[in-house]
């Protein structure tokens, strides 16, 4: 993995570079958690590339320091699978998630060098919130679990208020990792959202 390139703007540039590589002139971007933060940045810096946004458990801002910041700062290589598995307890789940999926995410985390964990965390938490820098014009669906212990309803209302015309959908009895807990419902709402973008306007 590269030594640098983990700021919010650089992560957003990576998304656009991927779209270029696979020949996508525009796309509906779905971002979960901090991935939604990156998706917001893409919509700000490259609005013509974003046909729509789906923000799932996404913050409006990551400025400040989450309670688990010290643990990330103290990571060293090799990152232990046990630590990654423990870190998942930061986000309580209220629906069953398959063990194989959890173990895949643990392997992903353990294979990520400690410096990348730290640089990404720093890059996200020190960035200026995208919606503070410009206006997102892409049609936007916001999905939030009402048992999210990281993001409050007030924060999601703030995000919705910062994106004109956005629509907030609340999933009951669902935590921060909405995409993990409710993949079928997400797929249904995503499909319906994309279909709505294709309807001709009168």
């Amino acid at each position: 993995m590269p030594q640098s390139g983990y700021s919010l703007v650089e992560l957003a540039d990576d998304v656009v570079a991927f779209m270029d590589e696979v020949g996508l002139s525009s796309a509906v971007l779905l971002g979960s958690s901090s991935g939604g933060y990156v998706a917001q940045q893409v919509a700000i810096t490259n609005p013509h590339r974003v046909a729509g946004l789906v923000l799932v458990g996404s913050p409006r801002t990551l400025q400040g320091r989450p309670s688990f910041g010290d643990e990330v700062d103290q990571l060293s290589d090799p990152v232990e699978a046990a630590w990654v598995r423990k870190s998942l307890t930061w986000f309580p789940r209220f629906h069953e998630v398959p063990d194989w999926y959890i173990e895949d995410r643990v392997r992903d985390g353990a294979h990520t060098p400690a410096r990348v964990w730290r640089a990404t965390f720093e890059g996200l938490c020190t960035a200026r919130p995208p919606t503070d820098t410009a206006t997102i014009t892409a049609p936007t669906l916001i999905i939030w679990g009402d048992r999210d212990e990281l993001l409050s309803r007030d924060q999601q209302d703030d995000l919705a208020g910062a994106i004109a015309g956005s629509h907030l959908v609340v999933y009951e009895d669902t935590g921060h990792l909405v995409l993990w807990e409710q993949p079928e419902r997400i797929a249904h709402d995503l499909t319906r959202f994309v279909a709505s973008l294709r309807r001709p306007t009168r």
Side-chain angles (χ1 to χ4, degrees), residues 34-92:
S34 58
Y37 207 46
V38 176
Q40 292 173 54
Q41 185 65 40
V42 177
I44 290 295
T45 55
N46 290 272
H48 60 291
R49 307 297 296 271
V50 180
L53 275 180
V54 181
L55 305 176
V56 183
S58 174
R60 179 176 183 263
T61 177
L62 281 173
Q63 288 185 331
R65 188 173 181 79
S67 58
F68 48 81
D70 289 344
E71 289 198 42
V72 175
D73 284 348
Q74 293 168 13
L75 282 177
S76 60
D77 292 320
V79 174
E80 297 181 359
W83 179 84
V84 179
R85 191 173 289 105
K86 176 177 173 287
S87 74
L88 297 180
T89 65
W90 299 340
F91 315 109

Side-chain angles (χ1 to χ4, degrees), residues 27-29 39 42-44 46-55 135-141 163-167 193 197:
V28 175
L29 298 185
V42 177
I44 290 295
N46 290 272
H48 60 291
R49 307 297 296 271
V50 180
L53 275 180
V54 181
L55 305 176
T135 300
I136 291 176
T137 57
T140 302
L141 173 65
I163 304 176
S166 62
H167 179 57
F193 176 69
L197 301 178

